[in-house]
């Protein structure tokens, strides 16, 4: 295995382990169906921002929809980077699908069901809260494309990813733990895909073959 590929795989393995730990920790907390004081304070801070932000926030949220994955993949394919296009499509849609699994497993309610005086902006979100699919999709897409970007592009991704999560809190669709768990899921899915693409078979064995 080439040194650069080995280093990339090791880095991805560390990211996968860290992301999995965050998902596990937030899932345990969210499964109690209880909002702690610290989480409520953060939620109120964002959710009670002025209504005048609704339109720009709605536009930002679209970057975390499941439709963002094929759009990003198509744009990347048109630029000639088919490998990255495939990864964007896979990590985006996979994260979205896995978020549905976590919602049913954890079964945490939406903010309005757990906290009084929640500001719900736009259509009332259906289904369950933990974890945020929007936060997951944008995190997965951002992590996948980040290595191909220059400094300004990376700075933009660093702003967009948390902005989507905060937007979901602002509209009353998710609590902070939902967003953190969703982002961690997206980062974990992207890291797993990078490990897998390091080789056609047994990538973990190849990762440690040099030791």
């Amino acid at each position: 295995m080439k040194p650069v590929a080995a280093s990339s795989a090791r880095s991805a393995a560390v990211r996968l382990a860290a992301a999995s730990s965050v998902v596990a920790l937030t899932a345990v907390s969210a499964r109690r169906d209880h909002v702690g004081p610290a989480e409520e304070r953060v939620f109120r801070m964002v959710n009670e921002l002025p209504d005048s932000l609704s339109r720009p926030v709605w536009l930002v949220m679209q970057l975390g929809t499941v439709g963002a994955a094929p759009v990003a993949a198509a744009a990347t394919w048109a630029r000639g980077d088919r490998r990255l296009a495939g990864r964007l499509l896979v990590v985006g849609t996979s994260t979205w699908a896995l978020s549905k699994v976590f919602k049913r497993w954890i079964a945490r309610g939406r903010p309005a069901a757990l906290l009084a005086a929640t500001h719900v902006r736009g259509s009332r979100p259906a289904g369950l809260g933990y974890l945020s699919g929007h936060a997951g999709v944008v995190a997965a897409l951002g992590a996948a494309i980040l290595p191909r970007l220059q400094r300004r592009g990376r700075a933009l991704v660093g702003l967009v990813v948390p902005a989507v999560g905060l937007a979901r809190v602002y509209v009353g669709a998710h609590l902070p733990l939902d967003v953190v768990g969703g982002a961690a899921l997206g980062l974990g899915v992207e890291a797993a895909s990078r490990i897998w693409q390091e080789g056609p078979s047994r990538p973990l064995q190849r990762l440690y073959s040099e030791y």
Side-chain angles (χ1 to χ4, degrees):
M1 190 174 189
K2 295 180 179 180
V4 173
S7 176
S8 175
R10 281 197 298 269
S11 176
V14 171
R15 295 199 307 274
L16 176 58
S20 299
S21 298
V22 173
V23 171
L25 288 172
T26 54
V28 168
S29 298
R31 201 167 191 180
R32 298 171 184 167
D33 215 18
H34 169 72
V35 183
E39 185 180 18
E40 181 175 356
R41 281 196 298 272
V42 174
F43 175 79
R44 299 290 187 193
M45 188 184 307
V46 178
N47 186 244
E48 294 177 359
L49 289 171
D51 290 337
S52 58
L53 298 174
S54 294
R55 182 171 292 275
V57 164
W58 182 86
L59 292 174
V60 168
M61 282 197 310
Q62 305 317 301
L63 299 174
T65 63
V66 65
V71 169
T76 305
W77 182 284
R79 292 175 62 88
D81 195 338
R82 297 185 177 184
R83 182 179 176 87
L84 178 58
R87 174 173 287 173
L88 290 171
L89 183 61
V90 168
V91 301
T93 55
S94 297
T95 300
W96 177 82
L98 283 173
S99 74
K100 302 301 181 184
V101 174
F102 273 91
K103 286 179 188 294
R104 292 188 178 185
W105 177 38
I106 303 301
R108 189 189 207 192
R110 295 283 185 175
L114 300 174
L115 293 175
T118 292
H119 295 284
V120 179
R121 299 176 171 93
S123 58
R124 196 175 188 87
L128 298 165
Y130 182 91
L131 45 66
S132 170
H134 281 70
V137 169
V138 74
L141 297 178
I145 201 172
L146 198 66
R148 307 295 180 89
L149 300 177
Q150 300 300 321
R151 178 180 295 181
R152 289 185 179 179
R154 293 186 178 191
L156 181 60
V157 169
L159 291 174
V160 167
V161 172
V164 171
L166 290 173
R168 297 300 285 165
V169 175
Y170 172 77
V171 300
H174 288 291
L175 291 159
L177 279 181
D178 305 342
V179 170
V180 174
L185 176 66
L187 294 175
V189 169
E190 192 282 329
S193 77
R194 194 170 294 275
I195 294 171
W196 180 259
Q197 286 191 351
E198 287 300 330
S201 64
R202 292 186 285 186
L204 291 180
Q205 178 176 328
R206 294 182 62 193
L207 173 60
Y208 295 106
S209 61
E210 63 181 301
Y211 295 109

